[in-house]
Amino acid sequence: MSLITLQLGQCGNQVGGQIFSTLVDDIFAKSTGLSNKENQAYMQSSLEKFFTQRETAGRDGSSSLPMARAVLVDMESKAISHTLQQAKKSGRWTYCAKRSYHQKRGSGNNWAHGFCVHGPKSHEDVMDLVRKEAEKCSRLGGFVSLMSLAGGTGSGVGAYITQSLRDEYPHSFILNQVVWPYTTGEVIVQNYNAVLTLSHLYDTADALVVMENDTLHKICNQLLAIKNISFEDINRVIAHKLTSVLQPCVSDSAGGGQMCDLGSMLEHLVPHPQHKLLTIKNIPQMSDVAREFSFHQWSGLIKNLRQMLIANAPMEEGINWAIKPSSRTASGHTCFNRSLSSLVVLRGKDANSVDPFYFTDSSIYTPWMPSDMTCCVARQPRLFCEYEKSAALVSNSRASVQPLNRIIDKAWTMFSTRAYVHQYLKHGMTEEDFLDSFVSLEKVVASYDNL
Amino acid sequence: MTQSVIVQVGQCGNQIGCRFWDLALREHASVNKNGIYDESIGSFFRNVDGRHDDPADIPVGTGTGKIKSLKARAVLVDMEEGVVSEMMKGPLGEVFDCRQLLTDVSGSGNNWATGHHLYGTQYKEQISEVVRRAAEFCDCLQCFFVLHSMGGGTGSGVGTSILGLLEDEYPDVYRFVTAVYPSSEDDVITSPYNAVLAMRELTEHADCVLPIENQALVDIVNKISQAAPPTRPGKRVFSEHAVKPDSALSTGAGGVVKDEKPFDQMNNLVANLLLNLTSSARFEGSLNVDLNEITMNLVPFPRMHYLIASQTPLFCSADVKMPPRRLDQMFTDAFARDHQMVRADPRHSVYQACALMVRGDVQLSDIRRNIDRLKPNLHFVPWNQEGWKTGLCSVPPVGQPRCLLSLANNSCIHQTFSEIRDRFSKLYKRKAHLHHYNQVEGMDSGQFADSLESLTSVIEQYRDLETAMNQPVVAEPRLKVFS
């Protein structure tokens, strides 16, 4: 099964480049913990999923390097040309430069400019590129769209293109990976843009994986011990998270032995259309140096990961162990992070023999979910990115409600003064469009609150 | 990539323009060592084959062609010949050709009405033609930068008439105005009239105005020269705080124009402002800021589009033994009163929005740390507590490892405007010089009152931000949904 990645906007393109480079790092990693034959199968399966390969170098001198199954979209050229260059410089993989689409003038952080102007203008060309890429897949497993919520192109054009994808591929799976902006200081109108994007994506995408810059920043700082954090560092964490889930693994469910593909993951994780927000938690995460000198037990990792879920901790450091599924607030409400469903991906040494009973416990899930449908486990005995043991948890839980609430709050406060609204109306939006988006997100918040 | 056209009007506008082109060439020469005509240099310059009489453009193409001959994407307008013809005779003359110029000999007599109504109408066709020519050379025109003073007649009058023309003919192209406000000791007696009449045009027709006060520029230049005693030929000056020769924001060292004229240092500050403002649109960076993002993020309400700029650091120390100034100091200074390009104090007033645009070796985490550090001491309007826009451009300015441009939409601008209004009112009460204006065709006495009212409403809008800060915030409750 192959996945096509859409890189939308500056953020989407930067993240995309990093994801493919992390994939290649993992595919060609030195220590794998597998026999050569098993490892070949893993490599083949991953390459097939994310890259197209040619057996020999083309006659025109083109390389035989793996070529990412990606479509690059931005409204200005700089980010794309930088991403193409970086890939070329790596010497290990490339993009197909023909699969990129850019205009001359950016969307200027204006969602309406992206959605109402650039989107309709570019969607035919972009869908054409997607079609060409899809024709190269013997089995198309779905789409992964990468974008930020803050800017204009990623968010505005991204929302439009996702809609077009849905129209043209009604039965394919679409996973949108959205980068949640820093709380302060990236783009001032980011909360408007985020509200508009999320409400539109909620109608079209199968699931949204939420990556918060603030938490990623903390991970870089505290777990990876990076002093001067750049966007590259942040993107590397995003790539690590996403690939830790998407790289080949085998699911335990019904009959077992099934390759865990995007479709079955999303079917399991999103049992209800009002609940589409996913988060990914990883353990362990550490700097390369620390990794060489550390040793982990599966039992410890799993136990920590579960508590990260319950206490909604973004990382293993500073988990609040006092929170338990049984604890209640004074008013009788549950105060832990209740989930709807989860997917645990275990990778590395002895991954096949780990008992995930910590996650099958029905008390951490909402009561109306049948207990045999709450947790799915997938395994892969191969080391992931040279981690001896590592686990990733994709969860559909209340965790995303907090940042969502924050964004709605701020956007609403701003909207009540109508600040900046004129800039959106200029491109054909109306105040009702804003209100519709607010309403649909309030519904999302309400349905997560009711878990 | 997009292109911008600079429209320089009047004596002041052309002097600033002259410094801008010199420094723009210097900057691109330092980045683009191989003399390749790429998209980055193409944003301000055309590449032409100079052998022809009417040189044709050589397009960027694959971005590997050599630079033949550069022509500035500029329109030069003045109602006197002096400044423009001097510029044409100087070393910068090559980057312009005569089809980009429009001059008269008689001057506007420091009268906005003469500039705006008389010359504005008389030269409308010609101006439109010159601008059209510049616009047609661009394959994606993003922005017009209009440079002029507010005190004189040509700059304020013809400048604002061109602004209206641009709005009519290029509604989708942004209009940024760099407006130099007269200081109170200005020798033009009618400058308050000109400034107020022009202000109304700026409020209504510009997307974004960068107000600059002459006096503030003088103060900054003095601050720099105090740190760097002037070097006399034959005598080396040893000082602990000596400024690295080409690092000061006010210096033109390394440019093609060798002899320094009065005002050059001040104008270099403004030229650098334009370079730093556009750097993130021209060069690569991990967080690009295109020009359309500036208005999008910094202009919450259409008429409140006046942005106060500050640039730091003013210079680098030449003494290698001195520890480099802390990076954080650059951020602190950007909010200090004595670094602003108008004499105002944003730190003690109310911010609607603020942009921090960094160039050079600064990391994302440096910006984040400094925002967290500075934020508690700044006042933002309640509905925009996180009103920060940030940009990271990887190409540093010439002579410095890094720099910061801060743009603030801040209530303190109302003091600057009130000062001008007071000076206007003093003359207007006595009807002094009014007849010079009213005798110009197209001018009617209502325009004075209207302009005054327009300015007053802007002042009040900004002042209201401050009064609102002292009142309790009543938040509108969020929408309720029933599921």
mmCIF file of all heavy atoms in Angstrom, chain A residues 78 82 104-106 108-109 184-186 188 229-230 405 410 412 414 416 420 423 442, chain B residues 139 142 280 283-284 292 295-297 299-300 365 368 384 386-387 389-390 476-478:
data_model
loop_
_atom_site.group_PDB
_atom_site.id
_atom_site.type_symbol
_atom_site.label_atom_id
_atom_site.label_comp_id
_atom_site.label_asym_id
_atom_site.label_seq_id
_atom_site.Cartn_x
_atom_site.Cartn_y
_atom_site.Cartn_z
ATOM 1 N N LYS A 78 9.976 30.013 -2.740
ATOM 2 C CA LYS A 78 11.188 29.859 -1.921
ATOM 3 C C LYS A 78 11.218 28.572 -1.110
ATOM 4 O O LYS A 78 12.206 27.847 -1.118
ATOM 5 C CB LYS A 78 11.335 31.057 -0.981
ATOM 6 C CG LYS A 78 12.127 32.181 -1.596
ATOM 7 C CD LYS A 78 12.348 33.295 -0.598
ATOM 8 C CE LYS A 78 11.034 33.881 -0.145
ATOM 9 N NZ LYS A 78 11.217 34.996 0.798
ATOM 10 N N HIS A 82 13.808 25.399 -1.692
ATOM 11 C CA HIS A 82 14.702 25.027 -0.600
ATOM 12 C C HIS A 82 14.535 23.541 -0.255
ATOM 13 O O HIS A 82 15.515 22.825 -0.070
ATOM 14 C CB HIS A 82 14.415 25.889 0.633
ATOM 15 C CG HIS A 82 15.332 25.659 1.780
ATOM 16 N ND1 HIS A 82 16.625 26.123 1.788
ATOM 17 C CD2 HIS A 82 15.161 24.984 2.931
ATOM 18 C CE1 HIS A 82 17.207 25.752 2.914
ATOM 19 N NE2 HIS A 82 16.347 25.053 3.629
ATOM 20 N N LYS A 104 3.481 32.823 -7.676
ATOM 21 C CA LYS A 104 4.512 33.815 -7.374
ATOM 22 C C LYS A 104 4.239 34.559 -6.086
ATOM 23 O O LYS A 104 5.129 35.039 -5.422
ATOM 24 C CB LYS A 104 4.594 34.815 -8.515
ATOM 25 C CG LYS A 104 5.252 34.198 -9.734
ATOM 26 C CD LYS A 104 4.931 35.008 -10.959
ATOM 27 C CE LYS A 104 5.314 34.215 -12.205
ATOM 28 N NZ LYS A 104 4.508 34.648 -13.338
ATOM 29 N N ARG A 105 2.963 34.688 -5.772
ATOM 30 C CA ARG A 105 2.624 35.551 -4.656
ATOM 31 C C ARG A 105 1.990 34.729 -3.539
ATOM 32 O O ARG A 105 1.042 33.983 -3.772
ATOM 33 C CB ARG A 105 1.622 36.592 -5.141
ATOM 34 C CG ARG A 105 1.502 37.789 -4.244
ATOM 35 C CD ARG A 105 0.139 38.412 -4.406
ATOM 36 N NE ARG A 105 0.051 39.335 -5.527
ATOM 37 C CZ ARG A 105 -0.495 40.539 -5.404
ATOM 38 N NH1 ARG A 105 -0.907 40.976 -4.252
ATOM 39 N NH2 ARG A 105 -0.622 41.311 -6.449
ATOM 40 N N GLY A 106 2.514 34.813 -2.334
ATOM 41 C CA GLY A 106 2.008 34.038 -1.204
ATOM 42 C C GLY A 106 0.621 34.465 -0.774
ATOM 43 O O GLY A 106 0.064 35.439 -1.288
ATOM 44 N N GLY A 108 -0.076 35.479 2.205
ATOM 45 C CA GLY A 108 0.014 36.549 3.189
ATOM 46 C C GLY A 108 -0.741 36.292 4.470
ATOM 47 O O GLY A 108 -1.408 37.186 4.972
ATOM 48 N N ASN A 109 -0.622 35.071 5.004
ATOM 49 C CA ASN A 109 -1.260 34.735 6.282
ATOM 50 C C ASN A 109 -2.768 34.909 6.264
ATOM 51 O O ASN A 109 -3.400 34.938 7.301
ATOM 52 C CB ASN A 109 -0.703 35.596 7.442
ATOM 53 C CG ASN A 109 0.741 35.320 7.736
ATOM 54 O OD1 ASN A 109 1.439 36.139 8.299
ATOM 55 N ND2 ASN A 109 1.222 34.147 7.343
ATOM 56 N N THR A 184 2.130 32.135 21.426
ATOM 57 C CA THR A 184 2.444 33.522 21.098
ATOM 58 C C THR A 184 3.410 33.575 19.936
ATOM 59 O O THR A 184 4.308 32.759 19.822
ATOM 60 C CB THR A 184 3.145 34.250 22.253
ATOM 61 O OG1 THR A 184 4.220 33.438 22.690
ATOM 62 C CG2 THR A 184 2.198 34.545 23.365
ATOM 63 N N GLY A 185 3.168 34.582 19.106
ATOM 64 C CA GLY A 185 4.188 35.031 18.208
ATOM 65 C C GLY A 185 4.568 34.141 17.061
ATOM 66 O O GLY A 185 5.672 33.639 17.004
ATOM 67 N N GLU A 186 3.681 33.949 16.126
ATOM 68 C CA GLU A 186 4.115 33.471 14.827
ATOM 69 C C GLU A 186 3.376 34.336 13.841
ATOM 70 O O GLU A 186 3.959 35.088 13.095
ATOM 71 C CB GLU A 186 3.734 32.002 14.654
ATOM 72 C CG GLU A 186 4.934 31.092 14.560
ATOM 73 C CD GLU A 186 4.499 29.661 14.452
ATOM 74 O OE1 GLU A 186 4.075 29.088 15.458
ATOM 75 O OE2 GLU A 186 4.580 29.118 13.349
ATOM 76 N N ILE A 188 -0.238 36.768 13.811
ATOM 77 C CA ILE A 188 -1.197 37.341 14.751
ATOM 78 C C ILE A 188 -2.608 36.829 14.500
ATOM 79 O O ILE A 188 -3.364 36.588 15.427
ATOM 80 C CB ILE A 188 -1.121 38.883 14.699
ATOM 81 C CG1 ILE A 188 0.247 39.314 15.231
ATOM 82 C CG2 ILE A 188 -2.235 39.524 15.493
ATOM 83 C CD1 ILE A 188 0.537 40.769 15.156
ATOM 84 N N ILE A 229 16.874 26.191 19.730
ATOM 85 C CA ILE A 229 15.933 25.383 18.970
ATOM 86 C C ILE A 229 15.528 26.094 17.685
ATOM 87 O O ILE A 229 15.139 27.252 17.699
ATOM 88 C CB ILE A 229 14.690 25.085 19.827
ATOM 89 C CG1 ILE A 229 15.134 24.318 21.072
ATOM 90 C CG2 ILE A 229 13.664 24.294 19.036
ATOM 91 C CD1 ILE A 229 14.118 24.306 22.168
ATOM 92 N N SER A 230 15.659 25.375 16.580
ATOM 93 C CA SER A 230 15.260 25.942 15.300
ATOM 94 C C SER A 230 14.044 25.173 14.795
ATOM 95 O O SER A 230 13.660 24.162 15.367
ATOM 96 C CB SER A 230 16.397 25.815 14.297
ATOM 97 O OG SER A 230 16.644 24.443 14.061
ATOM 98 N N ASN A 405 -9.873 24.662 22.638
ATOM 99 C CA ASN A 405 -10.597 25.660 23.420
ATOM 100 C C ASN A 405 -9.861 26.983 23.474
ATOM 101 O O ASN A 405 -10.454 28.046 23.362
ATOM 102 C CB ASN A 405 -10.769 25.141 24.846
ATOM 103 C CG ASN A 405 -12.225 24.853 25.135
ATOM 104 O OD1 ASN A 405 -13.101 25.522 24.598
ATOM 105 N ND2 ASN A 405 -12.471 23.863 25.970
ATOM 106 N N LYS A 410 -9.577 32.703 21.958
ATOM 107 C CA LYS A 410 -8.863 33.885 21.459
ATOM 108 C C LYS A 410 -9.482 34.413 20.185
ATOM 109 O O LYS A 410 -9.623 35.622 20.008
ATOM 110 C CB LYS A 410 -7.410 33.538 21.226
ATOM 111 C CG LYS A 410 -6.675 33.411 22.532
ATOM 112 C CD LYS A 410 -5.241 33.117 22.286
ATOM 113 C CE LYS A 410 -4.592 32.717 23.604
ATOM 114 N NZ LYS A 410 -3.439 31.870 23.354
ATOM 115 N N TRP A 412 -12.480 34.097 19.263
ATOM 116 C CA TRP A 412 -13.796 34.669 19.559
ATOM 117 C C TRP A 412 -13.661 36.059 20.173
ATOM 118 O O TRP A 412 -14.395 36.984 19.818
ATOM 119 C CB TRP A 412 -14.569 33.724 20.478
ATOM 120 C CG TRP A 412 -15.957 34.212 20.757
ATOM 121 C CD1 TRP A 412 -16.420 34.720 21.934
ATOM 122 C CD2 TRP A 412 -17.053 34.267 19.835
ATOM 123 N NE1 TRP A 412 -17.739 35.082 21.800
ATOM 124 C CE2 TRP A 412 -18.153 34.814 20.523
ATOM 125 C CE3 TRP A 412 -17.204 33.909 18.490
ATOM 126 C CZ2 TRP A 412 -19.397 35.011 19.914
ATOM 127 C CZ3 TRP A 412 -18.442 34.113 17.875
ATOM 128 C CH2 TRP A 412 -19.511 34.649 18.586
ATOM 129 N N MET A 414 -11.277 38.124 19.696
ATOM 130 C CA MET A 414 -10.872 39.028 18.633
ATOM 131 C C MET A 414 -12.054 39.305 17.714
ATOM 132 O O MET A 414 -12.287 40.443 17.306
ATOM 133 C CB MET A 414 -9.724 38.399 17.852
ATOM 134 C CG MET A 414 -8.977 39.357 16.967
ATOM 135 S SD MET A 414 -7.653 38.520 16.073
ATOM 136 C CE MET A 414 -6.255 38.923 17.071
ATOM 137 N N SER A 416 -15.117 39.392 18.408
ATOM 138 C CA SER A 416 -16.155 40.250 18.962
ATOM 139 C C SER A 416 -15.820 41.727 18.787
ATOM 140 O O SER A 416 -16.692 42.574 18.870
ATOM 141 C CB SER A 416 -16.438 39.913 20.431
ATOM 142 O OG SER A 416 -15.243 39.838 21.135
ATOM 143 N N TYR A 420 -9.416 42.740 12.231
ATOM 144 C CA TYR A 420 -8.858 41.991 11.105
ATOM 145 C C TYR A 420 -9.913 41.378 10.180
ATOM 146 O O TYR A 420 -9.562 40.837 9.137
ATOM 147 C CB TYR A 420 -7.927 40.851 11.573
ATOM 148 C CG TYR A 420 -6.710 41.320 12.317
ATOM 149 C CD1 TYR A 420 -6.619 41.200 13.692
ATOM 150 C CD2 TYR A 420 -5.649 41.899 11.621
ATOM 151 C CE1 TYR A 420 -5.499 41.632 14.372
ATOM 152 C CE2 TYR A 420 -4.518 42.330 12.294
ATOM 153 C CZ TYR A 420 -4.450 42.193 13.678
ATOM 154 O OH TYR A 420 -3.332 42.627 14.353
ATOM 155 N N GLN A 423 -10.016 42.155 6.418
ATOM 156 C CA GLN A 423 -9.035 41.551 5.512
ATOM 157 C C GLN A 423 -9.565 40.251 4.901
ATOM 158 O O GLN A 423 -9.137 39.849 3.827
ATOM 159 C CB GLN A 423 -7.749 41.226 6.281
ATOM 160 C CG GLN A 423 -7.281 42.355 7.175
ATOM 161 C CD GLN A 423 -6.015 42.978 6.680
ATOM 162 O OE1 GLN A 423 -5.765 43.007 5.482
ATOM 163 N NE2 GLN A 423 -5.199 43.490 7.596
ATOM 164 N N GLU A 442 -17.423 24.598 18.144
ATOM 165 C CA GLU A 442 -18.037 24.479 19.475
ATOM 166 C C GLU A 442 -18.676 23.100 19.615
ATOM 167 O O GLU A 442 -18.680 22.501 20.684
ATOM 168 C CB GLU A 442 -19.084 25.574 19.700
ATOM 169 C CG GLU A 442 -18.534 27.002 19.798
ATOM 170 C CD GLU A 442 -17.780 27.292 21.093
ATOM 171 O OE1 GLU A 442 -17.577 26.362 21.885
ATOM 172 O OE2 GLU A 442 -17.373 28.457 21.288
ATOM 173 N N ASP B 139 6.920 40.705 -13.331
ATOM 174 C CA ASP B 139 6.036 39.612 -13.706
ATOM 175 C C ASP B 139 5.037 39.299 -12.605
ATOM 176 O O ASP B 139 4.016 38.693 -12.855
ATOM 177 C CB ASP B 139 6.799 38.410 -14.258
ATOM 178 C CG ASP B 139 7.268 37.464 -13.192
ATOM 179 O OD1 ASP B 139 7.666 37.920 -12.109
ATOM 180 O OD2 ASP B 139 7.226 36.269 -13.445
ATOM 181 N N GLN B 142 4.033 43.110 -6.467
ATOM 182 C CA GLN B 142 3.401 42.916 -5.160
ATOM 183 C C GLN B 142 3.121 44.230 -4.457
ATOM 184 O O GLN B 142 2.129 44.386 -3.788
ATOM 185 C CB GLN B 142 4.330 42.054 -4.302
ATOM 186 C CG GLN B 142 4.015 42.053 -2.838
ATOM 187 C CD GLN B 142 3.323 40.779 -2.418
ATOM 188 O OE1 GLN B 142 2.421 40.297 -3.090
ATOM 189 N NE2 GLN B 142 3.740 40.205 -1.322
ATOM 190 N N SER B 280 13.000 39.642 4.148
ATOM 191 C CA SER B 280 12.415 38.325 4.297
ATOM 192 C C SER B 280 11.597 37.934 3.066
ATOM 193 O O SER B 280 11.333 36.759 2.838
ATOM 194 C CB SER B 280 11.536 38.295 5.540
ATOM 195 O OG SER B 280 11.215 36.990 5.888
ATOM 196 N N PHE B 283 14.983 37.254 0.483
ATOM 197 C CA PHE B 283 15.952 36.203 0.764
ATOM 198 C C PHE B 283 15.296 35.039 1.483
ATOM 199 O O PHE B 283 14.167 35.122 1.956
ATOM 200 C CB PHE B 283 17.111 36.749 1.606
ATOM 201 C CG PHE B 283 17.848 37.881 0.970
ATOM 202 C CD1 PHE B 283 17.832 39.139 1.534
ATOM 203 C CD2 PHE B 283 18.548 37.681 -0.208
ATOM 204 C CE1 PHE B 283 18.517 40.197 0.943
ATOM 205 C CE2 PHE B 283 19.232 38.726 -0.807
ATOM 206 C CZ PHE B 283 19.213 39.990 -0.223
ATOM 207 N N GLU B 284 16.100 33.978 1.638
ATOM 208 C CA GLU B 284 15.591 32.772 2.254
ATOM 209 C C GLU B 284 15.574 32.889 3.780
ATOM 210 O O GLU B 284 16.346 33.631 4.361
ATOM 211 C CB GLU B 284 16.540 31.641 1.869
ATOM 212 C CG GLU B 284 15.892 30.336 1.661
ATOM 213 C CD GLU B 284 16.896 29.398 1.033
ATOM 214 O OE1 GLU B 284 17.814 28.969 1.738
ATOM 215 O OE2 GLU B 284 16.762 29.150 -0.162
ATOM 216 N N ASN B 292 2.733 41.123 2.035
ATOM 217 C CA ASN B 292 1.294 41.120 2.306
ATOM 218 C C ASN B 292 0.979 40.644 3.727
ATOM 219 O O ASN B 292 -0.085 40.906 4.257
ATOM 220 C CB ASN B 292 0.536 40.290 1.266
ATOM 221 C CG ASN B 292 1.151 38.927 1.045
ATOM 222 O OD1 ASN B 292 2.091 38.548 1.744
ATOM 223 N ND2 ASN B 292 0.647 38.185 0.085
ATOM 224 N N THR B 295 0.650 43.859 6.393
ATOM 225 C CA THR B 295 -0.641 44.507 6.612
ATOM 226 C C THR B 295 -1.624 43.527 7.241
ATOM 227 O O THR B 295 -2.389 43.889 8.122
ATOM 228 C CB THR B 295 -1.250 45.009 5.288
ATOM 229 O OG1 THR B 295 -1.168 43.959 4.338
ATOM 230 C CG2 THR B 295 -0.509 46.197 4.768
ATOM 231 N N MET B 296 -1.569 42.284 6.794
ATOM 232 C CA MET B 296 -2.508 41.285 7.315
ATOM 233 C C MET B 296 -2.411 41.186 8.829
ATOM 234 O O MET B 296 -3.408 41.081 9.526
ATOM 235 C CB MET B 296 -2.181 39.932 6.683
ATOM 236 C CG MET B 296 -3.134 38.832 7.080
ATOM 237 S SD MET B 296 -4.773 39.126 6.439
ATOM 238 C CE MET B 296 -5.756 38.096 7.508
ATOM 239 N N ASN B 297 -1.202 41.205 9.353
ATOM 240 C CA ASN B 297 -1.014 40.976 10.782
ATOM 241 C C ASN B 297 -1.009 42.252 11.611
ATOM 242 O O ASN B 297 -1.295 42.224 12.799
ATOM 243 C CB ASN B 297 0.296 40.229 11.033
ATOM 244 C CG ASN B 297 0.188 38.777 10.663
ATOM 245 O OD1 ASN B 297 -0.405 37.993 11.391
ATOM 246 N ND2 ASN B 297 0.733 38.413 9.509
ATOM 247 N N VAL B 299 -2.465 45.358 10.753
ATOM 248 C CA VAL B 299 -3.530 46.360 10.554
ATOM 249 C C VAL B 299 -4.894 45.747 10.876
ATOM 250 O O VAL B 299 -5.572 45.240 10.001
ATOM 251 C CB VAL B 299 -3.508 46.904 9.105
ATOM 252 C CG1 VAL B 299 -4.540 48.006 8.941
ATOM 253 C CG2 VAL B 299 -2.129 47.422 8.759
ATOM 254 N N PRO B 300 -5.307 45.816 12.142
ATOM 255 C CA PRO B 300 -6.587 45.208 12.513
ATOM 256 C C PRO B 300 -7.787 45.997 11.992
ATOM 257 O O PRO B 300 -8.827 45.420 11.729
ATOM 258 C CB PRO B 300 -6.560 45.192 14.038
ATOM 259 C CG PRO B 300 -5.488 46.116 14.448
ATOM 260 C CD PRO B 300 -4.547 46.276 13.301
ATOM 261 N N SER B 365 14.482 30.030 18.989
ATOM 262 C CA SER B 365 14.375 30.044 20.447
ATOM 263 C C SER B 365 14.800 31.390 21.033
ATOM 264 O O SER B 365 14.342 31.777 22.097
ATOM 265 C CB SER B 365 15.195 28.907 21.051
ATOM 266 O OG SER B 365 16.501 28.951 20.558
ATOM 267 N N ARG B 368 11.686 33.469 20.835
ATOM 268 C CA ARG B 368 10.710 33.027 21.817
ATOM 269 C C ARG B 368 11.095 33.488 23.218
ATOM 270 O O ARG B 368 10.277 33.980 23.974
ATOM 271 C CB ARG B 368 10.578 31.503 21.797
ATOM 272 C CG ARG B 368 10.339 30.941 20.414
ATOM 273 C CD ARG B 368 9.213 29.958 20.410
ATOM 274 N NE ARG B 368 8.080 30.448 21.144
ATOM 275 C CZ ARG B 368 7.160 31.245 20.646
ATOM 276 N NH1 ARG B 368 7.248 31.663 19.415
ATOM 277 N NH2 ARG B 368 6.159 31.644 21.387
ATOM 278 N N ASN B 384 -6.028 41.185 21.801
ATOM 279 C CA ASN B 384 -4.869 40.713 21.031
ATOM 280 C C ASN B 384 -3.653 40.570 21.932
ATOM 281 O O ASN B 384 -2.588 41.120 21.666
ATOM 282 C CB ASN B 384 -4.577 41.668 19.869
ATOM 283 C CG ASN B 384 -3.865 40.973 18.724
ATOM 284 O OD1 ASN B 384 -3.755 39.752 18.700
ATOM 285 N ND2 ASN B 384 -3.368 41.745 17.777
ATOM 286 N N GLU B 386 -1.744 38.203 22.337
ATOM 287 C CA GLU B 386 -0.608 37.539 21.705
ATOM 288 C C GLU B 386 -0.345 38.131 20.336
ATOM 289 O O GLU B 386 -0.130 37.414 19.375
ATOM 290 C CB GLU B 386 -0.852 36.039 21.607
ATOM 291 C CG GLU B 386 -0.353 35.283 22.794
ATOM 292 C CD GLU B 386 -1.501 34.900 23.716
ATOM 293 O OE1 GLU B 386 -2.586 34.613 23.208
ATOM 294 O OE2 GLU B 386 -1.288 34.903 24.938
ATOM 295 N N GLY B 387 -0.380 39.440 20.284
ATOM 296 C CA GLY B 387 -0.264 40.105 18.992
ATOM 297 C C GLY B 387 1.134 40.185 18.426
ATOM 298 O O GLY B 387 1.578 41.264 18.043
ATOM 299 N N LYS B 389 3.966 39.050 15.597
ATOM 300 C CA LYS B 389 4.263 38.430 14.307
ATOM 301 C C LYS B 389 5.788 38.349 14.226
ATOM 302 O O LYS B 389 6.478 39.327 14.492
ATOM 303 C CB LYS B 389 3.705 39.314 13.188
ATOM 304 C CG LYS B 389 4.239 39.008 11.811
ATOM 305 C CD LYS B 389 3.616 37.773 11.239
ATOM 306 C CE LYS B 389 4.240 37.463 9.869
ATOM 307 N NZ LYS B 389 3.915 36.097 9.441
ATOM 308 N N THR B 390 6.294 37.179 13.882
ATOM 309 C CA THR B 390 7.746 37.049 13.832
ATOM 310 C C THR B 390 8.212 36.561 12.476
ATOM 311 O O THR B 390 7.495 35.868 11.769
ATOM 312 C CB THR B 390 8.240 36.062 14.899
ATOM 313 O OG1 THR B 390 7.486 34.860 14.801
ATOM 314 C CG2 THR B 390 8.079 36.625 16.282
ATOM 315 N N GLU B 476 -17.525 38.857 25.449
ATOM 316 C CA GLU B 476 -18.755 38.330 24.874
ATOM 317 C C GLU B 476 -18.741 36.822 25.101
ATOM 318 O O GLU B 476 -17.753 36.165 24.794
ATOM 319 C CB GLU B 476 -18.783 38.641 23.377
ATOM 320 C CG GLU B 476 -20.176 38.713 22.814
ATOM 321 C CD GLU B 476 -20.137 39.263 21.395
ATOM 322 O OE1 GLU B 476 -19.469 40.299 21.177
ATOM 323 O OE2 GLU B 476 -20.763 38.653 20.527
ATOM 324 N N PRO B 477 -19.815 36.244 25.648
ATOM 325 C CA PRO B 477 -19.795 34.803 25.912
ATOM 326 C C PRO B 477 -19.711 34.015 24.616
ATOM 327 O O PRO B 477 -20.215 34.451 23.580
ATOM 328 C CB PRO B 477 -21.124 34.551 26.624
ATOM 329 C CG PRO B 477 -21.985 35.701 26.255
ATOM 330 C CD PRO B 477 -21.084 36.869 26.003
ATOM 331 N N ARG B 478 -19.023 32.872 24.692
ATOM 332 C CA ARG B 478 -18.864 32.055 23.497
ATOM 333 C C ARG B 478 -20.197 31.446 23.085
ATOM 334 O O ARG B 478 -21.138 31.375 23.872
ATOM 335 C CB ARG B 478 -17.840 30.968 23.766
ATOM 336 C CG ARG B 478 -16.470 31.370 23.287
ATOM 337 C CD ARG B 478 -15.404 30.449 23.787
ATOM 338 N NE ARG B 478 -15.591 29.051 23.400
ATOM 339 C CZ ARG B 478 -14.677 28.124 23.641
ATOM 340 N NH1 ARG B 478 -13.554 28.453 24.242
ATOM 341 N NH2 ARG B 478 -14.898 26.881 23.287
#
